[in-house]
């Protein structure tokens, strides 16, 4: 099933259950403490906390999201991406756990044709109500696992709505990894759908629950790209129908097929960067702009390691599918690549020399940053790959002193 068919099937199903489809929220969110929309519920935060009323008690969206929390795992796992689409159904004081479970199970099996005997469920440890509900729907106890709040409690990582979750996983089979369910192997057992039972108001941390929300709500997210990986029978997210053209463009640029992890990293990073650029974000040294810059710099460096010595990101950017019309992706990407290739050539000589000497001193990291424009996170990443420690505390001290001098007008 193609990715566009997955989206249509999802929306048609929930439309038949009286859900009103709303446009996706902006990728660049207005939330002060959130760089990008990282889940479908972000635009609905006012509804969850009771600040305003939704246009309908049941809503649904197809939301593009960006998350960089797992950026170091891109290309190394089959299931991680910095940019993806989340299909979500939401209820505000309407239905709750049982309905969301019934409909998720029905859509996955009847709508998408998945074998229910290969579905596993996780719940928050102590949430026996959810365990009993899954069992009442025919899910055997052996395929329901109780996990801690790191796995089965959801919040926006900031004050706001939160709640326990129940997640649905697909068993990709013994060729992928160990048996034993999601608690044992999250590559073999890949998460497809997260059902969040929004009922608490979170404070500054997940441990600080300020009280109950005005009502009990539902927020779910089905990863379209992960479901496409399963339904299309491919090994990773970058091989799915909408991402494969960019992966092929990366392979053409490198002229090799022996570095799948590197190819997938470049594919993921360029694709996400193009979407962010299309949303109006430009590479910069802070905030959202730095995310775009970091993605492109990581992509360029990996291409250099793959032996690509000339700029190639322009054609790769052109291969990205589903980009909103009128984006300036290629031109922005090309300028950033050219500038960073100059930075790499200048800074790499010093970095290579210092890496051979042992641990990187804070003074060296600061010089790479201040003189050559070498980003500290990339310095740390390269050093880690070489097994060399970095004096990040010394670098931070020098940066503080530099800022203080700058504020005081001293050289």
């Amino acid at each position: 099933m193609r990715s566009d068919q997955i989206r249509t099937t999802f929306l048609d199903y929930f439309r038949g259950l009286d859900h009103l489809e709303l446009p996706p929220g902006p990728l660049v969110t207005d939330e002060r403490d959130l760089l990008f929309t990282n889940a479908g519920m972000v635009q609905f935060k006012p509804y969850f906390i009771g600040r305003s009323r939704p246009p309908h008690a049941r809503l649904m969206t197809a939301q593009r999201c960006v998350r960089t929390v797992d950026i170091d795992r891109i290309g190394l796992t089959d299931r991680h991406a910095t940019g993806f689409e989340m299909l979500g159904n939401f209820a505000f004081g309407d239905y709750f756990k049982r309905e969301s479970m019934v409909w998720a199970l029905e859509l996955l099996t009847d709508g998408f044709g998945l074998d229910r005997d290969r579905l596993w469920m996780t719940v928050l440890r102590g949430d026996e109500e959810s365990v009993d509900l899954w069992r009442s729907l025919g899910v055997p106890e052996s395929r329901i696992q109780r996990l801690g709040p790191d796995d089965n409690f959801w919040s926006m990582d900031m004050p706001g709505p939160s709640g326990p979750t129940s997640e649905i996983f697909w068993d990709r089979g013994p060729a992928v990894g160990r048996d034993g369910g999601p608690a044992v192997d999250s590559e073999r057992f890949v998460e497809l759908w997260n059902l969040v039972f929004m009922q608490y108001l979170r404070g500054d941390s997940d441990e600080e629950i300020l009280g109950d929300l005005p009502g009990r709500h539902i927020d779910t997210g089905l990863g379209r790209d992960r479901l496409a990986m399963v339904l299309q029978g491919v090994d990773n997210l970058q091989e799915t129908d909408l991402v494969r053209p960019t992966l092929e463009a990366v392979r053409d640029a490198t002229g090799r097929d022996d570095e799948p992890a590197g190819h997938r990293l470049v594919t993921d990073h360029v694709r996400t960067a193009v979407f962010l650029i299309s949303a109006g974000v430009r590479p910069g040294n802070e905030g959202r702009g730095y995310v775009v810059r970091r993605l492109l710099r990581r992509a360029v460096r990996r291409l250099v390691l793959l032996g690509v010595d000339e700029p190639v990101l322009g054609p790769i950017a052109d291969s990205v599918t589903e980009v909103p019309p009128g984006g300036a992706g290629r031109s922005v990407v090309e300028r950033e690549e050219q500038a960073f290739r100059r930075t790499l050539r200048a800074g790499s000589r010093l970095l290579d020399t210092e890496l051979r000497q042992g641990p990187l001193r804070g003074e060296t990291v600061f010089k790479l940053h201040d003189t050559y424009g070498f980003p500290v996170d990339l310095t740390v990443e390269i050093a880690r790959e070489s097994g060399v420690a970095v004096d990040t505390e010394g670098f931070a001290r020098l940066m503080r002193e530099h800022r203080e001098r700058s504020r005081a007008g001293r050289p």
Side-chain angles (χ1 to χ4, degrees), residues 77-79 117-118 120 169-192 229-230:
T77 74
D78 297 335
R79 70 191 193 282
D117 291 335
R118 293 174 65 179
W120 287 63
F169 294 75
W170 171 255
D171 180 3
R172 299 170 65 199
V176 179
R178 298 173 294 164
D179 200 359
V184 173
D185 192 324
S186 53
E187 280 291 284
R188 171 173 171 174
F189 299 88
V190 61
E191 178 196 343
L192 297 180
M229 179 179 74
V230 170

Side-chain angles (χ1 to χ4, degrees), residues 26 54 73 83 118 133 152 193 196 204 210 223-224 228 232 319 377:
R73 307 175 76 176
R118 293 174 65 179
L133 285 170
N152 283 94
W193 207 334
V196 183
D204 291 331
L210 303 179
R224 183 187 65 163
Q232 294 171 17
S319 72
D377 58 346

Side-chain angles (χ1 to χ4, degrees), residues 238-257 263-264 266-268 315-316 319-321:
Q238 288 74 39
E239 296 280 359
T240 56
D241 59 329
L242 294 178
V243 188
R244 191 181 305 118
T246 304
L247 180 62
E248 292 174 351
V250 174
R251 288 172 176 159
D252 289 344
T254 64
R256 48 194 297 184
D257 57 10
H263 288 154
R264 287 160 55 189
V266 176
T267 298
D268 171 271
I316 294 173
S319 72
V320 176
T321 61

Side-chain angles (χ1 to χ4, degrees), residues 305-368:
L305 293 177
L306 292 172
V308 181
D309 297 324
E310 299 297 327
V312 295
L313 287 192
I316 294 173
D318 278 346
S319 72
V320 176
T321 61
E322 293 194 311
V323 182
R330 176 167 183 150
S331 60
V332 174
V333 164
E334 286 178 330
R335 288 196 299 272
E336 190 68 15
E337 179 181 21
Q338 291 164 359
F340 188 56
R341 282 184 177 272
R342 291 193 294 269
T343 295
L344 271 179
R345 285 192 292 270
S348 292
R349 289 189 288 270
L350 172 62
L351 180 56
D352 291 344
T353 299
E354 294 293 330
L355 285 173
R356 289 193 291 268
Q357 312 281 327
L360 281 183
R361 298 171 301 134
E363 291 84 353
T364 301
V365 181
F366 180 78
K367 183 177 181 180
L368 283 164

Side-chain angles (χ1 to χ4, degrees), residues 132-273:
D132 291 342
L133 285 170
W134 281 126
R135 291 175 59 190
S136 73
L137 297 177
V139 180
E141 176 84 24
S142 59
R143 294 208 310 274
I144 306 171
Q145 295 188 322
R146 300 162 176 84
L147 301 179
D150 288 346
D151 297 290
N152 283 94
F153 189 88
W154 197 91
S155 73
M156 297 172 66
D157 290 327
M158 56 188 289
S162 65
T165 73
S166 183
E167 298 178 340
I168 305 175
F169 294 75
W170 171 255
D171 180 3
R172 299 170 65 199
V176 179
R178 298 173 294 164
D179 200 359
V184 173
D185 192 324
S186 53
E187 280 291 284
R188 171 173 171 174
F189 299 88
V190 61
E191 178 196 343
L192 297 180
W193 207 334
N194 188 14
L195 312 179
V196 183
F197 311 128
M198 287 288 199
Q199 55 194 110
Y200 302 123
L201 184 64
R202 173 196 187 271
D204 291 331
S205 71
D206 284 350
E207 289 72 36
E208 183 184 4
I209 301 301
L210 303 179
D212 293 335
L213 294 174
R216 298 195 308 173
H217 313 301
I218 285 294
D219 155 34
T220 90
L222 172 63
R224 183 187 65 163
D225 306 82
R226 288 185 179 181
L227 184 57
M229 179 179 74
V230 170
L231 294 179
Q232 294 171 17
V234 296
D235 293 333
N236 56 74
L237 296 182
Q238 288 74 39
E239 296 280 359
T240 56
D241 59 329
L242 294 178
V243 188
R244 191 181 305 118
T246 304
L247 180 62
E248 292 174 351
V250 174
R251 288 172 176 159
D252 289 344
T254 64
R256 48 194 297 184
D257 57 10
D258 60 336
E259 289 287 344
H263 288 154
R264 287 160 55 189
L265 181 148
V266 176
T267 298
D268 171 271
H269 286 12
V270 173
R271 182 172 170 82
T272 299

Side-chain angles (χ1 to χ4, degrees), residues 73-149:
R73 307 175 76 176
I74 303 301
L76 303 178
T77 74
D78 297 335
R79 70 191 193 282
H80 283 104
T82 56
F84 55 92
E85 183 171 289
M86 189 72 77
L87 304 172
N89 58 288
F90 310 90
F92 305 94
D94 191 67
Y95 61 84
F96 201 50
K97 289 184 179 181
R98 182 177 181 83
E99 292 89 344
S100 64
M101 293 175 173
V102 168
W103 295 336
L105 191 58
E106 182 176 80
L107 180 55
L108 288 175
T109 55
D110 296 344
F112 293 117
L114 296 184
D115 181 355
R116 66 181 294 147
D117 291 335
R118 293 174 65 179
L119 295 174
W120 287 63
M121 283 60 176
T122 64
V123 302
L124 181 65
R125 192 175 294 117
D127 182 7
E128 291 305 306
E129 178 189 18
S130 291
V131 173
D132 291 342
L133 285 170
W134 281 126
R135 291 175 59 190
S136 73
L137 297 177
V139 180
E141 176 84 24
S142 59
R143 294 208 310 274
I144 306 171
Q145 295 188 322
R146 300 162 176 84
L147 301 179

